[in-house]
Amino acid sequence: MNFSAPNQFAPDPNLKVFLNGHIVPLAQATINVFDHGLLYGDGVFEGIRAYGGRVFRLEAHLQRLAESARAIRLHIPMTPQELAEATLDTINANRITDGYIRLVVTRGVGYLGVSPARTGNPSVFIIASQIELYPRELYEKGMAIISCSVIRNHPNAVSPRIKSLNYLNNILAKIEALDAGVHEAVMYNHLGYVAECTGDNIFVIRKGVVMTPPTAAGLLEGITRDAVIELLEKRGLPFKEINLTRHDLYVADEAFLTGTAAEVIPVTKIDNRPIGDGQPGMITRQLIADFRNLVNGRG
Ligand code: PMP
């Protein structure tokens, strides 16, 4: 696959973006080339979603953003309340009721050289737009994924719990997936256990027990993951946070991925092996319905 070919992507020029305290037209929402977010991936972000005019679990996203920032010693120049208001202002300015929100905080403009001590004024920007991560029909048919050779960041390097602007680890894994003709890849950790996919958490079901790796396996503590765990508990379905191996994926009866952009999507094939009978499983379909009700305020 050629990743340098020109593409058709053209953001809507009428988009309004929140940038450092103001909502401005897209053309004016520019970041300085000396910003360390751009030069070094030095910054943090959140991917958030609005359903029916309401932002789903905004508080949890702002909490995770604060924790990511704290972990990299980045001071966010706005309070959580101000960030919440700016998020709502941005979706309203774009008349979005159902959409995807990207909230980014960069280290700010600085000297060349990695030192954050030589930067100032972190930048905050918020984009409210749309996202379609995977083709719609895969939510019905299920998706094929692969195991990839790129391991997830070692937790003592850049912790996968930090939602940082440095996604190269995941991008390398995504390239492997795309080269294999699928949309996602399972990333294993340095011990060989399943961590997560490039932009989603993973769950498997075997003999009626739903399982997902613990955060100590080196993964982002997904807000959708948490929501799905709550749904499982509500239904009284047996659930375990447990280290999983490649073998556990191969012998699963069902599997699915969770993420703000992905929502809940069935996985029906891994490394070219069908999962269960190769169709989205019953528990997975039930959870997809439960998740839909939850985000639409009927949960
Ligand atoms: N893992 C990674 C690496 C992610 O980037 C994401 C978010 N796209 C997730 C998991 C899912 O997290 P959430 O449910 O909070 O979107």
Side-chain angles (χ1 to χ4, degrees):
M1 189 173 274
N2 175 5
F3 297 109
S4 306
N7 72 34
Q8 308 298 313
F9 177 69
D12 177 356
N14 297 316
L15 270 187
K16 306 270 190 307
V17 178
F18 175 94
L19 176 61
N20 296 329
H22 305 280
I23 293 197
V24 297
L26 178 63
Q28 287 169 36
T30 55
I31 291 281
N32 191 299
V33 293
F34 283 89
D35 191 305
H36 280 209
L38 178 62
L39 288 175
Y40 302 114
D42 188 353
V44 294
F45 77 100
E46 279 298 317
I48 310 169
R49 202 147 174 154
Y51 294 97
R54 287 198 321 263
V55 179
F56 184 66
R57 303 208 166 174
L58 181 55
E59 233 174 78
H61 282 285
L62 293 177
Q63 168 86 26
R64 187 171 65 184
L65 183 80
E67 288 176 2
S68 294
R70 195 181 173 88
I72 68 162
R73 305 269 300 268
L74 170 65
H75 172 72
I76 301 179
M78 292 170 69
T79 63
Q81 179 65 29
E82 288 167 341
L83 288 169
E85 281 165 18
T87 303
L88 297 177
D89 288 349
T90 313
I91 60 173
N92 291 336
N94 291 285
R95 293 197 183 83
I96 282 175
T97 51
D98 292 87
Y100 182 83
I101 300 147
R102 176 59 55 92
L103 198 175
V104 183
V105 186
T106 74
R107 186 77 70 177
V109 170
Y111 289 86
L112 293 176
V114 296
S115 174
R118 302 184 79 207
T119 60
N121 301 330
S123 272
V124 179
F125 63 88
I126 306 172
I127 303 167
S129 183
Q130 304 294 332
I131 195 165
E132 192 189 272
L133 201 59
Y134 308 123
R136 217 52 248 168
E137 72 264 18
L138 296 184
Y139 288 80
E140 298 292 326
K141 285 190 350 212
M143 178 159 94
I145 63 176
I146 57 155
S147 294
C148 71
S149 69
V150 179
I151 65 163
R152 192 72 179 97
N153 280 335
H154 191 293
N156 290 337
V158 179
S159 171
R161 290 171 71 179
I162 302 171
K163 200 161 169 61
S164 87
L165 290 184
N166 198 318
Y167 253 56
L168 267 179
N169 182 213
N170 310 52
I171 290 164
L172 292 177
K174 185 82 170 188
I175 287 173
E176 263 190 63
L178 296 174
D179 279 342
V182 299
H183 293 281
E184 255 299 8
V186 178
M187 304 178 77
Y188 295 82
N189 66 18
H190 59 289
L191 300 171
Y193 293 117
V194 174
E196 59 180 338
C197 291
T198 70
D200 323 302
N201 294 114
I202 184 164
F203 287 72
V204 296
I205 304 167
R206 182 162 177 256
K207 297 186 177 166
V209 182
V210 186
M211 294 173 280
T212 199
T215 50
L219 50 96
L220 186 74
E221 296 171 286
I223 284 158
T224 321
R225 176 182 181 275
D226 282 348
V228 164
I229 293 170
E230 287 166 27
L231 292 173
L232 291 168
E233 282 165 356
K234 233 177 177 174
R235 282 213 165 259
L237 290 167
F239 166 70
K240 273 197 238 169
E241 276 187 75
I242 188 168
N243 271 326
L244 299 170
T245 62
R246 187 186 307 232
H247 184 78
D248 292 309
L249 304 184
Y250 289 170
V251 299
D253 301 319
E254 301 185 29
F256 61 88
L257 309 182
T258 64
T260 297
E263 303 182 292
V264 182
I265 185 160
V267 175
T268 46
K269 209 185 237 189
I270 175 157
D271 297 338
N272 224 21
R273 300 151 195 254
I275 293 179
D277 64 2
Q279 302 296 320
M282 243 177 44
I283 298 174
T284 302
R285 283 190 310 203
Q286 186 64 64
L287 285 169
I288 290 174
D290 286 356
F291 183 75
R292 199 93 326 271
N293 286 333
L294 177 69
V295 297
N296 290 323
R298 296 190 296 263

